[in-house]
Amino acid sequence: MSKMLVNGYAERVPTEQSTRCDGRVWYIPHHGVYHPKKKKLRVVFDCGVTFQGTSLNSQLLQGPDLTNLLVGVLTRFRKEPVVLIGDIEAMYHQVRVPAEDSDLLRFLWWPDGDCSRELVEYRMTVHLFGATSSPSCACFALRKCAEDNQRFFSSNAVNTVLHHFYVDDCLVSIGSEEEAVFLRRELSALCAEGGFKLTKWVSNRRTVLATIPQDERAKEVKDLDLNSDALPIEYVLGVQWCVQSDSFKFKITLKTHPLTRRGILRSLGWDEPLPSSVTKEWTA
């Protein structure tokens, strides 16, 4: 919460505006969710919760679907030999909501997180993850940034933003390492024009990685010795990408079931044939 306030993603509601009564005020409940893999606690706002039969999401328009097709992004990612992946930091939070609408994103919190003090009213100034309208608004802002700045950047950089992003994930393949180095710098500069910070960069080429500032690399490659350490496995749109071998992999975890009749039956579908050993015993 403190980070959101410091970054300007939320603000305290001014005293003189706290009694707004034109029907355009909504309070959103929130809770913390811990991500065991990333070991981070993130704030989740529940825009779908109902009060007197309605919710914020039920009143919002979804807008056009501007997200590139997942299959297309992944396919283009494997087209050329040199690849780059990056991530827009807190993408939704870089797109502001109109000031007159921010009171629809109010929430309650304790000053400085001190639960012994009286609750205070705050409001978000940016789009929320979980709001029906946020994906369309955020994707529109990113695409508009590329279109508005196409005079100042190469067509390759503009095309990458328009066709090689899946929401906040950038996946692009390039013909040579020299082109990749230049494109990465252009992409960072182009996105910055719209207030978007591209970070967490990874490449399958060590020479490309070496040109990326350490604080802009993905955590898994940030402290690697690029001369000797093996490159890690990254998650790319839900798929495991082994950077070292430059191949997609899948990890399957089989759930163990208790050795009871119920547990054994859960291991098979109703219409699957029984193993031969069981069939033999059954028909004996």
Side-chain angles (χ1 to χ4, degrees), residues 32-61:
V33 173
Y34 180 73
H35 196 300
K37 290 184 178 179
K38 296 182 179 179
K39 297 182 179 180
K40 288 184 178 180
L41 184 71
R42 71 186 304 178
V43 183
V44 175
F45 289 87
D46 191 350
C47 299
V49 71
T50 59
F51 174 71
Q52 295 184 349
T54 191
S55 68
L56 178 64
N57 274 347
S58 68
Q59 302 301 309
L60 292 172
L61 296 176

mmCIF file of all heavy atoms in Angstrom, residues 32-61:
data_model
loop_
_atom_site.group_PDB
_atom_site.id
_atom_site.type_symbol
_atom_site.label_atom_id
_atom_site.label_comp_id
_atom_site.label_asym_id
_atom_site.label_seq_id
_atom_site.Cartn_x
_atom_site.Cartn_y
_atom_site.Cartn_z
ATOM 1 N N GLY A 32 -4.746 -9.061 0.621
ATOM 2 C CA GLY A 32 -3.404 -9.427 0.162
ATOM 3 C C GLY A 32 -3.355 -10.864 -0.320
ATOM 4 O O GLY A 32 -3.973 -11.743 0.265
ATOM 5 N N VAL A 33 -2.640 -11.104 -1.393
ATOM 6 C CA VAL A 33 -2.442 -12.461 -1.920
ATOM 7 C C VAL A 33 -0.946 -12.708 -2.037
ATOM 8 O O VAL A 33 -0.228 -11.941 -2.687
ATOM 9 C CB VAL A 33 -3.122 -12.641 -3.298
ATOM 10 C CG1 VAL A 33 -2.751 -14.002 -3.895
ATOM 11 C CG2 VAL A 33 -4.633 -12.516 -3.166
ATOM 12 N N TYR A 34 -0.497 -13.780 -1.423
ATOM 13 C CA TYR A 34 0.934 -14.117 -1.435
ATOM 14 C C TYR A 34 1.230 -15.076 -2.574
ATOM 15 O O TYR A 34 0.561 -16.100 -2.738
ATOM 16 C CB TYR A 34 1.343 -14.751 -0.112
ATOM 17 C CG TYR A 34 2.808 -15.121 -0.038
ATOM 18 C CD1 TYR A 34 3.792 -14.138 0.088
ATOM 19 C CD2 TYR A 34 3.218 -16.446 -0.095
ATOM 20 C CE1 TYR A 34 5.131 -14.461 0.147
ATOM 21 C CE2 TYR A 34 4.559 -16.786 -0.032
ATOM 22 C CZ TYR A 34 5.506 -15.794 0.089
ATOM 23 O OH TYR A 34 6.847 -16.123 0.148
ATOM 24 N N HIS A 35 2.218 -14.735 -3.392
ATOM 25 C CA HIS A 35 2.641 -15.584 -4.509
ATOM 26 C C HIS A 35 3.828 -16.423 -4.035
ATOM 27 O O HIS A 35 4.926 -15.892 -3.844
ATOM 28 C CB HIS A 35 3.057 -14.720 -5.696
ATOM 29 C CG HIS A 35 3.129 -15.471 -6.993
ATOM 30 N ND1 HIS A 35 3.964 -16.544 -7.191
ATOM 31 C CD2 HIS A 35 2.450 -15.304 -8.165
ATOM 32 C CE1 HIS A 35 3.820 -17.001 -8.414
ATOM 33 N NE2 HIS A 35 2.903 -16.277 -9.026
ATOM 34 N N PRO A 36 3.643 -17.738 -3.845
ATOM 35 C CA PRO A 36 4.716 -18.565 -3.279
ATOM 36 C C PRO A 36 5.961 -18.659 -4.143
ATOM 37 O O PRO A 36 7.070 -18.782 -3.623
ATOM 38 C CB PRO A 36 4.052 -19.943 -3.121
ATOM 39 C CG PRO A 36 2.889 -19.930 -4.063
ATOM 40 C CD PRO A 36 2.428 -18.521 -4.122
ATOM 41 N N LYS A 37 5.810 -18.584 -5.475
ATOM 42 C CA LYS A 37 6.976 -18.679 -6.353
ATOM 43 C C LYS A 37 7.747 -17.367 -6.395
ATOM 44 O O LYS A 37 8.971 -17.346 -6.335
ATOM 45 C CB LYS A 37 6.546 -19.094 -7.762
ATOM 46 C CG LYS A 37 6.067 -20.538 -7.852
ATOM 47 C CD LYS A 37 5.754 -20.924 -9.286
ATOM 48 C CE LYS A 37 5.311 -22.383 -9.369
ATOM 49 N NZ LYS A 37 4.978 -22.775 -10.761
ATOM 50 N N LYS A 38 7.020 -16.260 -6.525
ATOM 51 C CA LYS A 38 7.677 -14.955 -6.570
ATOM 52 C C LYS A 38 8.004 -14.430 -5.177
ATOM 53 O O LYS A 38 8.756 -13.466 -5.039
ATOM 54 C CB LYS A 38 6.784 -13.951 -7.298
ATOM 55 C CG LYS A 38 6.539 -14.292 -8.764
ATOM 56 C CD LYS A 38 5.688 -13.224 -9.429
ATOM 57 C CE LYS A 38 5.455 -13.540 -10.903
ATOM 58 N NZ LYS A 38 4.598 -12.518 -11.561
ATOM 59 N N LYS A 39 7.384 -15.063 -4.156
ATOM 60 C CA LYS A 39 7.585 -14.657 -2.762
ATOM 61 C C LYS A 39 7.255 -13.180 -2.568
ATOM 62 O O LYS A 39 8.003 -12.428 -1.948
ATOM 63 C CB LYS A 39 9.018 -14.966 -2.315
ATOM 64 C CG LYS A 39 9.346 -16.459 -2.332
ATOM 65 C CD LYS A 39 10.744 -16.745 -1.837
ATOM 66 C CE LYS A 39 11.014 -18.244 -1.840
ATOM 67 N NZ LYS A 39 12.370 -18.575 -1.371
ATOM 68 N N LYS A 40 6.113 -12.799 -3.133
ATOM 69 C CA LYS A 40 5.657 -11.419 -3.026
ATOM 70 C C LYS A 40 4.215 -11.384 -2.551
ATOM 71 O O LYS A 40 3.419 -12.273 -2.847
ATOM 72 C CB LYS A 40 5.759 -10.705 -4.381
ATOM 73 C CG LYS A 40 7.178 -10.386 -4.823
ATOM 74 C CD LYS A 40 7.157 -9.600 -6.126
ATOM 75 C CE LYS A 40 8.561 -9.219 -6.576
ATOM 76 N NZ LYS A 40 8.536 -8.456 -7.852
ATOM 77 N N LEU A 41 3.886 -10.347 -1.799
ATOM 78 C CA LEU A 41 2.516 -10.099 -1.378
ATOM 79 C C LEU A 41 1.979 -8.953 -2.223
ATOM 80 O O LEU A 41 2.551 -7.867 -2.230
ATOM 81 C CB LEU A 41 2.467 -9.721 0.106
ATOM 82 C CG LEU A 41 1.064 -9.516 0.696
ATOM 83 C CD1 LEU A 41 0.336 -10.854 0.805
ATOM 84 C CD2 LEU A 41 1.159 -8.858 2.062
ATOM 85 N N ARG A 42 0.905 -9.197 -2.948
ATOM 86 C CA ARG A 42 0.332 -8.159 -3.787
ATOM 87 C C ARG A 42 -1.072 -7.823 -3.319
ATOM 88 O O ARG A 42 -1.783 -8.671 -2.772
ATOM 89 C CB ARG A 42 0.323 -8.571 -5.258
ATOM 90 C CG ARG A 42 -0.658 -9.660 -5.603
ATOM 91 C CD ARG A 42 -0.512 -10.115 -7.043
ATOM 92 N NE ARG A 42 -0.633 -9.011 -7.985
ATOM 93 C CZ ARG A 42 -0.504 -9.152 -9.303
ATOM 94 N NH1 ARG A 42 -0.212 -10.350 -9.804
ATOM 95 N NH2 ARG A 42 -0.644 -8.125 -10.109
ATOM 96 N N VAL A 43 -1.469 -6.569 -3.526
ATOM 97 C CA VAL A 43 -2.805 -6.119 -3.148
ATOM 98 C C VAL A 43 -3.774 -6.446 -4.279
ATOM 99 O O VAL A 43 -3.518 -6.116 -5.439
ATOM 100 C CB VAL A 43 -2.818 -4.604 -2.882
ATOM 101 C CG1 VAL A 43 -4.209 -4.167 -2.420
ATOM 102 C CG2 VAL A 43 -1.781 -4.244 -1.833
ATOM 103 N N VAL A 44 -4.864 -7.110 -3.934
ATOM 104 C CA VAL A 44 -5.878 -7.462 -4.930
ATOM 105 C C VAL A 44 -7.176 -6.742 -4.578
ATOM 106 O O VAL A 44 -7.709 -6.903 -3.478
ATOM 107 C CB VAL A 44 -6.111 -8.985 -4.967
ATOM 108 C CG1 VAL A 44 -7.252 -9.325 -5.931
ATOM 109 C CG2 VAL A 44 -4.840 -9.701 -5.396
ATOM 110 N N PHE A 45 -7.667 -5.951 -5.524
ATOM 111 C CA PHE A 45 -8.941 -5.261 -5.353
ATOM 112 C C PHE A 45 -10.037 -6.087 -6.012
ATOM 113 O O PHE A 45 -9.902 -6.506 -7.169
ATOM 114 C CB PHE A 45 -8.888 -3.869 -5.985
ATOM 115 C CG PHE A 45 -8.027 -2.893 -5.237
ATOM 116 C CD1 PHE A 45 -6.667 -2.807 -5.501
ATOM 117 C CD2 PHE A 45 -8.573 -2.066 -4.267
ATOM 118 C CE1 PHE A 45 -5.862 -1.910 -4.807
ATOM 119 C CE2 PHE A 45 -7.777 -1.169 -3.572
ATOM 120 C CZ PHE A 45 -6.421 -1.092 -3.839
ATOM 121 N N ASP A 46 -11.119 -6.298 -5.288
ATOM 122 C CA ASP A 46 -12.213 -7.131 -5.797
ATOM 123 C C ASP A 46 -13.284 -6.255 -6.429
ATOM 124 O O ASP A 46 -14.197 -5.775 -5.754
ATOM 125 C CB ASP A 46 -12.805 -7.963 -4.656
ATOM 126 C CG ASP A 46 -13.748 -9.043 -5.164
ATOM 127 O OD1 ASP A 46 -14.081 -9.019 -6.368
ATOM 128 O OD2 ASP A 46 -14.148 -9.908 -4.367
ATOM 129 N N CYS A 47 -13.154 -6.051 -7.740
ATOM 130 C CA CYS A 47 -14.106 -5.191 -8.459
ATOM 131 C C CYS A 47 -15.402 -5.929 -8.783
ATOM 132 O O CYS A 47 -16.340 -5.325 -9.311
ATOM 133 C CB CYS A 47 -13.475 -4.678 -9.753
ATOM 134 S SG CYS A 47 -11.991 -3.688 -9.488
ATOM 135 N N GLY A 48 -15.447 -7.220 -8.487
ATOM 136 C CA GLY A 48 -16.645 -8.000 -8.790
ATOM 137 C C GLY A 48 -17.569 -8.171 -7.598
ATOM 138 O O GLY A 48 -18.656 -8.733 -7.732
ATOM 139 N N VAL A 49 -17.162 -7.675 -6.417
ATOM 140 C CA VAL A 49 -17.997 -7.845 -5.227
ATOM 141 C C VAL A 49 -19.266 -7.002 -5.367
ATOM 142 O O VAL A 49 -19.245 -5.904 -5.923
ATOM 143 C CB VAL A 49 -17.212 -7.443 -3.949
ATOM 144 C CG1 VAL A 49 -17.009 -5.937 -3.873
ATOM 145 C CG2 VAL A 49 -17.903 -7.959 -2.701
ATOM 146 N N THR A 50 -20.390 -7.545 -4.903
ATOM 147 C CA THR A 50 -21.677 -6.873 -5.069
ATOM 148 C C THR A 50 -22.139 -6.192 -3.788
ATOM 149 O O THR A 50 -21.852 -6.647 -2.679
ATOM 150 C CB THR A 50 -22.761 -7.865 -5.519
ATOM 151 O OG1 THR A 50 -22.887 -8.907 -4.530
ATOM 152 C CG2 THR A 50 -22.411 -8.486 -6.860
ATOM 153 N N PHE A 51 -22.848 -5.105 -3.960
ATOM 154 C CA PHE A 51 -23.514 -4.397 -2.863
ATOM 155 C C PHE A 51 -24.887 -3.994 -3.357
ATOM 156 O O PHE A 51 -25.021 -3.346 -4.400
ATOM 157 C CB PHE A 51 -22.707 -3.161 -2.449
ATOM 158 C CG PHE A 51 -23.408 -2.302 -1.423
ATOM 159 C CD1 PHE A 51 -23.554 -2.735 -0.117
ATOM 160 C CD2 PHE A 51 -23.936 -1.077 -1.784
ATOM 161 C CE1 PHE A 51 -24.213 -1.960 0.819
ATOM 162 C CE2 PHE A 51 -24.599 -0.276 -0.849
ATOM 163 C CZ PHE A 51 -24.733 -0.732 0.466
ATOM 164 N N GLN A 52 -25.915 -4.451 -2.642
ATOM 165 C CA GLN A 52 -27.299 -4.209 -3.034
ATOM 166 C C GLN A 52 -27.546 -4.635 -4.481
ATOM 167 O O GLN A 52 -28.202 -3.945 -5.261
ATOM 168 C CB GLN A 52 -27.675 -2.736 -2.833
ATOM 169 C CG GLN A 52 -27.654 -2.313 -1.363
ATOM 170 C CD GLN A 52 -28.126 -0.877 -1.151
ATOM 171 O OE1 GLN A 52 -28.283 -0.115 -2.114
ATOM 172 N NE2 GLN A 52 -28.340 -0.497 0.101
ATOM 173 N N GLY A 53 -26.960 -5.769 -4.839
ATOM 174 C CA GLY A 53 -27.238 -6.378 -6.133
ATOM 175 C C GLY A 53 -26.410 -5.884 -7.302
ATOM 176 O O GLY A 53 -26.641 -6.312 -8.438
ATOM 177 N N THR A 54 -25.453 -5.010 -7.064
ATOM 178 C CA THR A 54 -24.634 -4.522 -8.183
ATOM 179 C C THR A 54 -23.164 -4.533 -7.796
ATOM 180 O O THR A 54 -22.811 -4.634 -6.625
ATOM 181 C CB THR A 54 -25.060 -3.100 -8.610
ATOM 182 O OG1 THR A 54 -24.440 -2.764 -9.847
ATOM 183 C CG2 THR A 54 -24.669 -2.072 -7.562
ATOM 184 N N SER A 55 -22.321 -4.447 -8.797
ATOM 185 C CA SER A 55 -20.869 -4.404 -8.584
ATOM 186 C C SER A 55 -20.269 -3.394 -9.547
ATOM 187 O O SER A 55 -20.917 -2.982 -10.516
ATOM 188 C CB SER A 55 -20.235 -5.781 -8.826
ATOM 189 O OG SER A 55 -20.309 -6.122 -10.205
ATOM 190 N N LEU A 56 -19.030 -3.013 -9.296
ATOM 191 C CA LEU A 56 -18.370 -2.076 -10.204
ATOM 192 C C LEU A 56 -18.226 -2.698 -11.589
ATOM 193 O O LEU A 56 -18.511 -2.056 -12.606
ATOM 194 C CB LEU A 56 -16.993 -1.695 -9.663
ATOM 195 C CG LEU A 56 -16.167 -0.751 -10.546
ATOM 196 C CD1 LEU A 56 -16.862 0.600 -10.677
ATOM 197 C CD2 LEU A 56 -14.765 -0.566 -9.977
ATOM 198 N N ASN A 57 -17.812 -3.952 -11.644
ATOM 199 C CA ASN A 57 -17.601 -4.604 -12.942
ATOM 200 C C ASN A 57 -18.884 -4.712 -13.760
ATOM 201 O O ASN A 57 -18.844 -4.681 -14.998
ATOM 202 C CB ASN A 57 -16.987 -5.994 -12.746
ATOM 203 C CG ASN A 57 -15.475 -5.937 -12.648
ATOM 204 O OD1 ASN A 57 -14.871 -4.911 -12.969
ATOM 205 N ND2 ASN A 57 -14.852 -7.013 -12.219
ATOM 206 N N SER A 58 -20.019 -4.856 -13.083
ATOM 207 C CA SER A 58 -21.282 -4.965 -13.821
ATOM 208 C C SER A 58 -21.679 -3.645 -14.479
ATOM 209 O O SER A 58 -22.515 -3.615 -15.381
ATOM 210 C CB SER A 58 -22.401 -5.435 -12.884
ATOM 211 O OG SER A 58 -22.715 -4.428 -11.923
ATOM 212 N N GLN A 59 -21.068 -2.538 -14.029
ATOM 213 C CA GLN A 59 -21.383 -1.219 -14.579
ATOM 214 C C GLN A 59 -20.356 -0.742 -15.603
ATOM 215 O O GLN A 59 -20.556 0.277 -16.261
ATOM 216 C CB GLN A 59 -21.470 -0.189 -13.446
ATOM 217 C CG GLN A 59 -22.500 -0.530 -12.375
ATOM 218 C CD GLN A 59 -23.902 -0.663 -12.938
ATOM 219 O OE1 GLN A 59 -24.370 0.226 -13.645
ATOM 220 N NE2 GLN A 59 -24.577 -1.768 -12.622
ATOM 221 N N LEU A 60 -19.246 -1.463 -15.727
ATOM 222 C CA LEU A 60 -18.179 -1.056 -16.647
ATOM 223 C C LEU A 60 -18.339 -1.721 -18.003
ATOM 224 O O LEU A 60 -18.757 -2.889 -18.086
ATOM 225 C CB LEU A 60 -16.809 -1.426 -16.072
ATOM 226 C CG LEU A 60 -16.353 -0.669 -14.826
ATOM 227 C CD1 LEU A 60 -15.075 -1.290 -14.273
ATOM 228 C CD2 LEU A 60 -16.126 0.804 -15.140
ATOM 229 N N LEU A 61 -17.995 -1.010 -19.060
ATOM 230 C CA LEU A 61 -17.967 -1.598 -20.401
ATOM 231 C C LEU A 61 -16.618 -2.271 -20.614
ATOM 232 O O LEU A 61 -15.579 -1.734 -20.235
ATOM 233 C CB LEU A 61 -18.184 -0.524 -21.464
ATOM 234 C CG LEU A 61 -19.551 0.176 -21.441
ATOM 235 C CD1 LEU A 61 -19.589 1.282 -22.488
ATOM 236 C CD2 LEU A 61 -20.674 -0.821 -21.665
#
